[in-house]
């Protein structure tokens, strides 16, 4: 049954944790990358996530990096 829910759009529970993991990875990428393009890409991705439903996660995890 979980197989059908995955493809038919049933339960959306794991998506929230995936978003938080994405924010964490992007923060680490923006903090440790040496290439300017990598940092710029991570900051742009964080900015786009902050306009969506992951505003709280970006605000709490990435504020030190973005300032």
């Amino acid at each position: 049954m979980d197989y059908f829910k995955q493809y038919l759009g049933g339960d959306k529970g794991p998506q929230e944790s995936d978003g938080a993991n994405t924010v964490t990875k992007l923060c680490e990428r923006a903090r440790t990358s040496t290439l300017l393009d990598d940092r710029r890409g991570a900051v742009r991705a964080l900015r786009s996530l902050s306009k969506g439903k992951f505003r709280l996660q970006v605000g709490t995890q990435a504020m030190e990096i973005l300032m």
Side-chain angles (χ1 to χ4, degrees):
M1 190 54 123
D2 291 330
Y3 179 76
F4 294 116
K5 284 183 182 180
Q6 180 182 4
Y7 292 107
L8 296 176
D11 187 25
K12 300 289 183 185
Q15 186 177 7
E16 290 293 327
S17 65
D18 290 341
N21 290 337
T22 303
V23 171
T24 304
K25 288 179 184 179
L26 286 171
C27 288
E28 191 63 30
R29 183 175 151 200
R31 182 181 305 130
T32 61
S33 63
T34 57
L35 296 175
L36 181 62
D37 289 336
D38 289 341
R39 286 186 187 199
R40 187 177 294 141
V43 169
R44 285 182 180 166
L46 284 169
R47 183 177 177 207
S48 68
L49 285 175
S50 71
K51 292 181 180 181
K53 64 168 131 174
F54 300 111
R55 174 176 248 153
L56 182 63
Q57 286 89 358
V58 173
T60 56
Q61 294 180 14
M63 254 337 189
E64 291 180 12
I65 298 166
L66 297 175
M67 300 206 69

